[in-house]
Amino acid sequence: MDEEIYYTIALTRMTGFNQAMALQLYQSLGGGKAVYEQRQDLGNWDEALRRAAAEMEFIEKNSIKAMTMQDDDYPQRLKECPDAPIILFYKGEADLNKSRVINIVGTRQCTTYGQDMVRRLIDDLRTMCPDVLIVSGLAYGIDICAHRQALADGFETVGVLAHGLDQIYPHHHRATAAEMVKKGGLLTEYMSQTQALPNNFRQRNRIVAGMSDATILVESAYKGGGLITCRIAQEYGRDVFAFPGAVGMPFSEGCNRMIRSNTAALITSAQDLVESMGWETIAQKSEAVERQLFPDLTEEEQKVVDLLQQTNDLQLNLISVKANIPIGQLTASLFSLEMKGVVKPMAGGTYHLLK
């Protein structure tokens, strides 16, 4: 039995819903086991330890990974947050510390427009940045659209739950949740037998925001859970984006208000997101690789290479005309490129760029 996990689970029981107290004790004393050993004035630990033992049995039986803040697999972005949970329960395969993590949130009553925005965003990300981890809350509306589209496009996607891993809420999303366990995961701070109470949803929003580089609001009414996630993300110093909606439409009011008040940056596409985040795309990586294929070229040699990349297998005189390089100079440059293994002379005075 992992004693650190055991005592950390018990500590969450001892502190109840006082997460600030749990975190303060955990960090100041160096872990759940240390808190127990130093016998802080928290009362009798017997019941908490019995509950922790039962939970340890549950997670082992169901192949669930428990992660304390000391674990390398714990989301490191979340660890930086002042109200991070001291333990998380995870069932899945995705790396929670991928180099790029976004969450997509919004109304539970999304419109066709909202669904289209989610689809276009994730479709385009597939061709630009396919290594992004997509996080949401497995709820109706925008959340489940994001998870399902991510799965359809081959992304890993993680759902953050407001209850224990012994259930799935809403029940209609069980099939999607099962697929996510194989291609992504399910994450929660709540032990088994914890019901999906209203306050739990607000609490889980901080995990959604905290483990991500950016929060993307697709559709929201004037008030809603997505706006709470955006506010928390702002407090954490994370990027927040919103898709604009039609004026006067009830599920566009939240997005438009955030854009108007400069609390969210306006985006209309994956391109906007990628550029704002400063992420390198597949195309940019490909260009960088091409440049690295032919290092140490002179300016004149590079002109020849650029020309042959556009139209390969050109004769010497055509290269001279198109590159505006005199034949004498060009012959010397082509010989140098041949020695560097960049070009190969062919029959009829033609030069072929080796790719």
Side-chain angles (χ1 to χ4, degrees):
M1 181 178 69
D2 189 317
E3 291 189 341
E4 181 56 33
I5 291 173
Y6 172 62
Y7 287 112
T8 301
I9 292 173
L11 176 58
T12 64
R13 299 290 293 182
M14 292 298 296
T15 52
F17 295 106
N18 193 334
Q19 295 162 335
M21 176 191 291
L23 183 59
Q24 193 275 329
L25 287 170
Y26 185 91
Q27 292 180 327
S28 62
L29 297 178
K33 185 179 180 182
V35 175
Y36 174 76
E37 290 175 340
Q38 297 186 40
R39 292 297 194 281
Q40 297 300 301
D41 186 21
L42 297 174
N44 190 311
W45 284 70
D46 291 350
E47 178 56 33
L49 291 173
R50 280 194 293 271
R51 183 66 180 86
E55 194 65 18
M56 294 288 286
E57 183 178 343
F58 170 77
I59 64 178
E60 182 177 357
K61 181 180 179 180
N62 292 277
S63 302
I64 293 167
K65 180 177 178 59
M67 299 177 287
T68 70
M69 298 182 83
Q70 298 175 356
D71 197 312
D72 290 340
D73 292 335
Y74 185 100
Q76 297 303 302
R77 295 169 178 84
L78 179 61
K79 189 176 178 179
E80 300 168 359
C81 302
D83 53 357
I86 61 175
I87 192 166
L88 291 167
F89 303 100
Y90 181 54
K91 191 173 180 66
E93 301 295 331
D95 178 6
L96 303 178
N97 290 297
K98 273 200 165 189
S99 59
R100 299 168 180 172
V101 184
I102 63 171
N103 70 73
I104 301 174
V105 295
T107 179
R108 284 173 165 79
Q109 298 170 290
C110 64
T111 67
T112 301
Y113 167 77
Q115 294 172 23
D116 286 345
M117 291 302 99
V118 170
R119 177 184 53 76
R120 285 177 47 197
L121 172 67
I122 297 176
D123 272 351
D124 291 346
L125 278 177
R126 177 181 56 180
T127 60
M128 299 173 69
C129 298
D131 58 340
V132 174
L133 176 64
I134 297 176
V135 177
S136 198
L138 202 70
Y140 288 113
I142 294 299
D143 286 22
I144 196 64
C145 285
H147 291 309
R148 287 172 175 164
Q149 190 62 50
L151 290 169
D153 281 336
F155 283 97
E156 292 183 320
T157 182
V158 170
V160 183
L161 310 181
H163 49 75
L165 285 168
D166 56 333
Q167 59 181 298
I168 293 296
Y169 178 86
H171 301 304
H172 293 93
H173 297 167
R174 282 179 292 186
T176 302
E179 191 176 353
M180 289 168 63
V181 169
K182 300 173 186 175
K183 185 65 176 176
L186 302 174
L187 182 70
T188 184
E189 66 180 308
Y190 296 109
M191 287 186 279
S192 61
Q193 302 177 42
T194 303
Q195 300 303 307
L197 301 174
N199 187 62
N200 293 0
F201 289 95
R202 291 189 286 271
Q203 290 295 321
R204 73 93 189 271
N205 288 348
R206 80 190 197 288
I207 298 176
V208 173
M211 67 183 290
S212 307
D213 298 307
T215 292
I216 301 164
L217 185 67
V218 178
E219 276 191 312
S220 174
Y222 192 77
K223 293 181 179 180
L227 294 174
I228 295 174
T229 306
C230 291
R231 176 182 56 77
I232 296 171
Q234 289 167 336
E235 292 172 355
Y236 291 160
R238 308 295 164 81
D239 290 285
V240 178
F241 301 93
F243 279 89
V247 174
M249 296 300 291
F251 295 112
S252 296
E253 288 184 9
C255 293
N256 291 347
R257 179 164 59 93
M258 290 198 69
I259 294 168
R260 186 173 64 249
S261 62
N262 293 319
T263 50
L266 185 153
I267 58 170
T268 60
S269 65
Q271 182 73 38
D272 293 343
L273 172 66
V274 169
E275 289 179 357
S276 296
M277 296 300 295
W279 288 343
E280 187 179 36
T281 65
I282 287 179
Q284 290 169 330
K285 287 179 181 178
S286 178
E287 290 175 6
V289 168
E290 284 185 5
R291 288 194 296 270
Q292 292 169 9
L293 287 175
F294 309 124
D296 306 322
L297 299 185
T298 67
E299 183 178 348
E300 195 168 274
E301 290 168 353
Q302 188 63 55
K303 285 179 68 175
V304 174
V305 168
D306 291 343
L307 177 61
L308 291 175
Q309 283 179 327
Q310 295 174 19
T311 309
N312 209 351
D313 300 338
L314 291 175
Q315 289 185 325
L316 177 66
N317 61 333
L318 283 177
I319 297 174
S320 175
V321 171
K322 290 178 178 291
N324 194 27
I325 301 173
I327 290 289
Q329 291 178 220
L330 178 60
T331 301
S333 292
L334 285 167
F335 179 75
S336 176
L337 287 169
E338 184 183 351
M339 293 300 98
K340 293 177 180 178
V342 177
V343 302
K344 177 182 179 181
M346 307 290 283
T350 299
Y351 285 84
H352 176 76
L353 178 67
L354 299 170
K355 294 183 178 179

